């Protein structure tokens, strides 16, 4: 167990260093690697939303999926399964994305933003913790999405084949794929650098079960610091790189791709923490699970994609200027629906 914990810390440090370096190589500031934001960009590139500033097929996501898939095959962790609360997972994934795009970042980016001096990351992390604690309440009440069962092996290959198709689209640039010319989507590291980083992160995340929601859940639910040590090490690794490259700018205001509406930063990430706890993991973890053959995780990712499209098509996603027209409404609706799911999917009812 001690060796596993050391490996997790090393993996977290490497992940943090690489994520921070991606900003040096061209990714948006304090967004070296954000799973929710990058899925949103991919959804835009495929034309499911038309927010021109955020359309790009992010190689990091492709790399994470393929790296985790290769690792799962090598270490015999690839097992096709599914059928565990499929539709509920889709809905929870959708509301996870609503929360992430109102805050402007997933749990990974919340830590990255804090490592870059953005104190709004503190508000976000407090929101995640609050959401995780509410999720733990439902877990203790017996919340359960049901047992997954074995499915045909071909179902488990859909996700890695989809990642390869995205890579083809990225390299070939067919006319039906959209690429941002100005805005965050146009800010990216070279494809090969992003892909290699993604592959490394995918392997590390698959071997360690790294999760930026599960770490908080285990810390408070069973007092286990294994997953949390990865989060802490990630912060340290990113902070070291940011200090070395003079990319730490402490404050709440004038932070890159961020707003200072604190109560909504808190509530949106509360929604992220709650939905992530009920789902059993953040988008990074869901990507790894999907690469291991978990078709329920694939459905969760489809929910994330649908959430991204809804957020940008229906004026929900926030911006650096603040909330959009329906940001607050969507977050409140998400919190109510997610709590109802937690309540009615508990054995005590």
């Amino acid at each position: 167990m001690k060796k596993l914990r050391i490996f997790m810390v090393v993996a977290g440090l490497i992940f943090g260093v690489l994520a921070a370096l991606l900003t040096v190589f061209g990714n948006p500031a304090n967004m070296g690697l954000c799973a929710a934001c990058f899925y949103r960009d991919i959804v835009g590139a495929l034309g499911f939303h038309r927010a021109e500033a955020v359309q790009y097929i992010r190689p990091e996501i492709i790399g994470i999926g393929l790296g985790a898939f290769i690792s799962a095959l090598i270490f015999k962790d690839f097992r096709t399964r599914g059928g565990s609360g499929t539709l509920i997972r889709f809905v929870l994934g959708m509301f996870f994305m609503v929360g992430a795009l109102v805050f402007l970042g997933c749990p990974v980016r919340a830590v990255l933003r804090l490592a870059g001096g953005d104190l709004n990351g503190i508000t976000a992390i407090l929101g995640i913790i609050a959401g995780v604690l509410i999720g733990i309440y439902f877990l203790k009440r017996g919340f359960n999405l049901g047992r997954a069962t074995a499915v045909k092996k071909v179902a488990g290959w859909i996700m890695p084949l989809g990642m390869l198709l995205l890579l083809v689209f990225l390299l070939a640039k067919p006319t039906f794929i959209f690429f941002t010319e100005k805005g965050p989507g146009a800010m990216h590291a070279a494809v090969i650098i992003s892909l290699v980083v993604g592959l490394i992160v995918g392997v590390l995340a698959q071997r360690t079960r790294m999760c930026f929601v599960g770490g908080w859940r285990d810390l408070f639910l069973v007092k286990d610091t294994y997953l949390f040590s990865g989060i802490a090490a990630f912060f340290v690794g990113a902070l070291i790189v940011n200090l070395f490259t003079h990319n730490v700018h402490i404050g709440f205001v004038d932070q890159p791709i961020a707003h200072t509406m604190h109560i909504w930063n808190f509530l949106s990430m509360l929604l992220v923490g709650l939905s992530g706890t009920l789902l059993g993991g953040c988008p990074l973890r869901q990507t790894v699970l999907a690469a291991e053959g978990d078709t329920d995780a694939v459905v969760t990712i489809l929910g994330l994609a649908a959430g991204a499209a809804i957020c940008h098509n229906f004026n929900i996603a926030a911006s650096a200027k603040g909330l959009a027209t329906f940001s607050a409404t969507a977050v409140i609706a998400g919190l109510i629906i997610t709590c109802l799911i937690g309540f009615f999917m508990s054995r005590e009812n």
Side-chain angles (χ1 to χ4, degrees):
M1 189 63 194
K2 183 178 179 180
K3 290 182 179 179
L4 288 175
R5 195 176 301 277
I6 292 173
F7 182 44
M8 171 60 89
V9 171
V10 172
L13 282 170
I14 293 172
F15 185 14
V17 166
L18 292 176
L21 283 176
L22 281 173
T23 64
V24 177
F25 294 137
N27 280 13
N30 288 356
M31 197 192 293
L33 202 158
C34 173
C37 300
F38 286 6
Y39 272 117
R40 181 270 317 278
D41 291 355
I42 292 172
V43 168
L46 295 176
F48 293 112
H49 75 67
R50 298 304 172 93
E52 295 181 356
V54 283
Q55 295 175 321
Y56 179 62
I57 295 178
R58 293 283 178 180
E60 295 88 350
I61 294 295
I62 298 172
I64 291 171
L66 294 179
F69 173 67
I70 294 168
S71 178
L73 288 179
I74 292 173
F75 292 97
K76 296 180 171 52
D77 291 329
F78 185 81
R79 294 180 296 104
T80 53
R81 67 272 191 195
S84 170
T86 306
L87 182 58
I88 297 295
R89 290 181 184 277
F90 181 89
V91 173
L92 290 173
M94 184 178 67
F95 282 119
F96 185 106
M97 185 62 84
V98 168
L101 294 185
V102 171
F103 166 67
L104 297 174
C106 70
V108 174
R109 189 177 182 231
V111 179
L112 268 179
R113 283 172 60 170
L114 187 58
D118 183 354
L119 300 182
N120 297 292
I122 297 175
T123 310
I125 291 172
L126 290 175
I128 293 172
I129 292 172
V132 167
L133 291 175
I134 296 172
I136 288 173
Y137 166 76
F138 290 124
L139 293 178
K140 288 183 175 180
R141 283 178 54 89
F143 175 84
N144 196 324
L145 289 172
R147 184 185 296 274
T149 57
V151 298
K152 296 290 185 180
K153 285 188 176 181
V154 65
W157 285 79
I158 292 176
M159 184 270 194
L161 289 175
M163 292 294 178
L164 286 175
L165 182 60
L166 286 176
L167 183 58
V168 171
F169 288 160
L170 173 64
L171 298 177
K173 292 182 171 58
T175 55
F176 55 81
I177 298 296
F178 298 86
F179 290 95
T180 295
E181 296 182 0
K182 184 178 181 181
M187 301 171 66
H188 52 81
V191 170
I192 186 63
I193 293 175
S194 297
L195 188 62
V196 170
V197 168
L199 287 167
I200 295 171
V201 172
V203 172
L204 293 175
Q206 196 279 324
R207 297 311 303 148
T208 60
R209 299 182 297 109
M210 188 179 294
C211 179
F212 282 68
V213 169
W216 297 104
R217 177 202 60 209
D218 289 358
L219 180 66
F220 293 111
L221 179 61
V222 292
K223 306 298 186 292
D224 187 343
T225 60
Y226 170 69
L227 292 178
F228 178 75
S229 65
I231 299 175
F234 174 88
F235 171 77
V236 172
L239 179 63
I240 290 172
V241 171
N242 287 336
L243 288 171
F244 184 76
T245 56
H246 306 290
N247 283 324
V248 177
H249 308 286
I250 299 175
F252 286 100
V253 299
D254 297 326
Q255 296 293 339
I257 315 177
H259 62 79
T260 58
M261 302 186 74
H262 302 305
I263 188 166
W264 294 107
N265 279 337
F266 177 84
L267 289 175
S268 61
M269 292 307 274
L270 188 154
L271 177 58
V272 164
L274 172 57
S275 56
T277 300
L278 299 184
L279 281 166
C282 65
L284 172 67
R285 180 63 182 151
Q286 298 297 331
T287 304
V288 171
L289 287 171
E292 293 176 342
D294 189 334
T295 59
D296 293 324
V298 176
V299 172
T300 300
I301 292 171
L302 292 177
L304 293 169
I310 289 170
C311 282
H312 282 284
N313 288 333
F314 294 97
N315 208 14
I316 293 171
S319 69
K321 297 178 181 179
L323 300 191
T325 304
F326 299 109
S327 299
T329 303
V331 169
I332 295 300
L335 287 171
I336 293 171
I337 294 172
T338 304
C339 284
L340 288 174
I341 289 173
F343 181 81
F344 286 110
M345 294 292 288
S346 298
R347 294 193 191 96
E348 292 187 11
N349 300 305

